[in-house]
Structures are given as structure tokens and as C-alpha cells.
Amino acid sequence: KIFSLICAVSCSLIWGSAFIAQDLGMDYNGPFTFTFGRLFLGFLTLLPFFLIFEFKKNKSILFNYKNSINLFVIGFLLSAGNALQQFALLYTDVANTAIFTIFYVILVPFVSYKFFSKIIHRSVWLSVIICLIGGVLLTEFNNIQVRLGDSIAIFNALFWAFHIVLISKFLREFNYPITIACIQCLYASIFAIIPALITENINFADMLLDGKEMIYAGVLSSGIAFLLQIYGQQNLSPAPVAIIFSLEGVFAAVFGWIILNQYLNDIKILGIVLILVAVIFSQLAPIYDKKKYG
């Protein structure tokens, strides 16, 4: 559990800092191209570990019909979540994109209830209201581009919610973290390159110009961090893991302020605090009400 805790904290730190690379990595490349590059680099990073540690153990069941479908769906959700994050960063700043992305922590119970008949604790409803208030404080209503970016980031959180729920469910049936992390990155990169070829001009020279940012987001955030995420979900209960993952929003806001000079005024800081309080409350309250929550 100590190892898993370290993994989860490291994961949230990497994810938070990677928003800077994602924001800077579109000077020469479109959102789909950057998404493809980082996810394919994530696959290449994990491939040696997959071949050494897990391929022989699961090669007979890896590509059976059920596992293939699960990996296919998880890869699609990962690709959509990453691509929408990139589009959000085109219109709003790092802090807004990161904070609205962690709405997935509150959306997870809704997804679990709707599709897997899990009980929704009443604390979620209060958390949603607090999040909406925080979102209002973060959004600049006089800037339609920022409002568009915020909306994309909120929609993006839905894909991450499905991704987290399905990862947890899949791990109970197919307990091979490196395999899941590696193959999902491969499938996700394929999903990203298709619209990139249609709507963007993919140029290897342009990808090299954003190479540092793509390597950081690919090797660390897509490769290592997604593996850390799965190890965290494998060995710790969902509530503390979700709280730790939500810290990526704080890390991203701080890095954006320090590195990109994306200043946070008092109103925005209050909005961020409200959303983080709501996220943490939605996870802690059920722990103290186990009879009803299960």
C-alpha cells in the first residue's frame, strides 16, 4: 500500500506538470497530432516492460474477444480524453483545463450508478452544487473563447470518468497493469492519428520542433503516469486514490502560474479551492457513512 500511495502521488504530480508540456506542445502541431505523438511515445516507453514482465504470462488470453473489446474501449476513452484536453488548452488556460478535468472524480459515481448499478451517496449532490459555484468563479463570462475551452474541459471529464471506472472493472478480470497501460496507449494513438490525417497536416519535422514537450507528455505522462495510475487503482481503495488524483488540478494551476505566468486572481483561486473541497468531500463523506454507501 505504501508503494501504491507513492505511485498515486507521483502520478498526480506528473499529470499536473504535463499540462504545461501539453500547452506548449501545440506551437507547430495540431491537437490530434500532439495526442497521437504523446500516446505512441507512451506505448514505446511501456513496450519493453510489457515484453519482459507480462507478455509470456498472458499471451494466450490477451487477445481473446472479451479482453480485446475492453482494451479497445479503454483505448478510445483515453484517446478522446487526451484530445479534448488539447482542444480545451487552445481556448482556456492550464489552470481551468486541469481543474475542470478533475470533475471526473465526481462523475465517477454517476457512471458507476448508471452503468454498473452502484449506489450514489447523497454527498455527491452537494459536491456537484459546490463545483458549479467554483466553475462560475473560474469562468470568464465576457470571453467566449474561455467559456468554450471550459466547456470542452468539462465534457472531457466524462471520458476520464468512464476510463477510471472501466479500468477498475477490467483489473478485477485481467490483472496485468503493464499490459493494460501499454496496449491502451497503442490503441489510443491509432484513434488519434485517424482524425489527425484527415484534419491536420502531420509533418515529422514539425513534431521534432515540439519534441521536448511531446517526449515529456509521452514518456512521463502517457507512459509512466498511466502505469502508476493503474498500480494505484489496483492496490488502494477508490476513495483515497481519487482524492490523490484530484491534486493534479492543484499542481497544474501552480505550474501554470510559475512557468507560464498564467496569473490566478483571488476569484479564480477561490473557485479552485471550492472545486477541490467538493471533490475531496464527495470522496470522504461515504467513508463515514458505510452502511448506506456499502
Side-chain angles (χ1 to χ4, degrees), residues 61-73 170 187:
I61 58 172
L62 174 59
F63 292 112
N64 66 33
Y65 178 76
K66 187 176 182 180
N67 290 336
S68 295
I69 293 296
N70 283 328
L71 288 167
F72 187 82
V73 173
F170 190 32
Y187 284 168

Side-chain angles (χ1 to χ4, degrees), residues 94-240:
V94 164
N96 283 35
T97 303
I99 293 297
F100 283 121
T101 294
I102 66 170
F103 268 37
Y104 63 72
V105 181
I106 291 178
L107 291 173
V108 163
F110 289 97
V111 173
S112 298
Y113 172 75
K114 184 68 176 177
F115 295 92
F116 302 102
S117 301
K118 299 291 184 181
I119 298 172
I120 297 179
H121 192 266
R122 60 178 179 272
S123 64
V124 172
W125 303 110
L126 178 59
S127 299
V128 169
I129 294 172
I130 298 174
C131 271
L132 290 175
I133 296 171
V136 169
L137 296 178
L138 272 174
T139 299
E140 299 174 15
F141 284 98
N142 61 338
N143 190 329
I144 192 169
Q145 277 202 330
V146 171
R147 295 203 324 256
L148 174 61
D150 293 347
S151 300
I152 294 172
I154 293 172
F155 182 58
N156 152 64
L158 184 63
F159 288 90
W160 289 115
F162 273 100
H163 184 260
I164 289 171
V165 172
L166 291 179
I167 285 286
S168 294
K169 184 175 182 296
F170 190 32
L171 272 170
R172 291 194 293 269
E173 305 169 0
F174 186 79
N175 192 17
Y176 295 98
I178 300 175
T179 302
I180 295 174
C182 180
I183 302 301
Q184 72 166 358
C185 283
L186 174 61
Y187 284 168
S189 67
I190 295 172
F191 279 117
I193 197 173
I194 294 172
L197 291 170
I198 297 172
T199 63
E200 299 172 1
N201 181 26
I202 299 180
N203 189 312
F204 186 69
D206 290 339
M207 295 178 74
L208 289 178
L209 292 174
D210 285 328
K212 292 180 180 178
E213 293 81 4
M214 201 171 288
I215 289 172
Y216 189 91
V219 175
L220 282 177
S221 183
S222 295
I224 304 302
F226 284 134
L227 180 60
L228 294 174
Q229 174 206 356
I230 293 172
Y231 273 123
Q233 289 188 241
Q234 181 189 38
N235 300 308
L236 291 174
S237 58

